[in-house]
Amino acid sequence: MKSTGIVRKLDELGRITLPIELRRTLGVGERDPLEIYVEADRIILQKYEPADIFTGEKDDLVEYCGKSVSKASVLELAKLAGLNIVE
């Protein structure tokens, strides 16, 4: 992990401001969703990208009931259900 030397304080609502230099470098725009991870004693922010709920794949996604699923997973589920799907 690389230190930037930037320190920010939380405001009274628990918010921080990400410096413009970091947002530009990482391609994070205004209102972009960020995912929050916790690893040991670290908080990790990552730009959110939808992914298949089963495999984590990020290509060829469809949305079903508010969840992202890859077409490959849909075909695999159809096979498990005994359906014969012609691609």
Side-chain angles (χ1 to χ4, degrees):
M1 200 174 304
K2 183 178 169 184
S3 175
T4 63
I6 299 169
V7 176
R8 291 287 192 259
K9 289 185 179 185
L10 292 175
D11 71 8
E12 60 279 354
L13 295 176
R15 299 175 296 195
I16 60 168
T17 302
L18 297 177
I20 190 72
E21 302 87 13
L22 287 179
R23 288 183 278 147
R24 285 182 182 149
T25 301
L26 299 173
V28 177
E30 196 174 295
R31 305 254 182 238
D32 279 353
L34 297 176
E35 243 178 315
I36 303 169
Y37 297 94
V38 176
E39 185 178 286
D41 63 343
R42 301 179 193 282
I43 299 170
I44 301 166
L45 299 176
Q46 181 175 332
K47 191 171 179 178
Y48 173 73
E49 292 183 44
D52 184 311
I53 60 170
F54 299 111
T55 65
E57 190 176 319
K58 295 183 179 183
D59 297 322
D60 214 11
L61 299 177
V62 294
E63 192 166 310
Y64 178 72
C65 294
K67 305 289 184 189
S68 296
V69 184
S70 70
K71 290 183 181 178
S73 288
V74 171
L75 291 173
E76 197 62 35
L77 289 168
K79 287 179 192 174
L80 285 172
L83 301 174
N84 188 13
I85 305 295
V86 179
E87 296 179 47

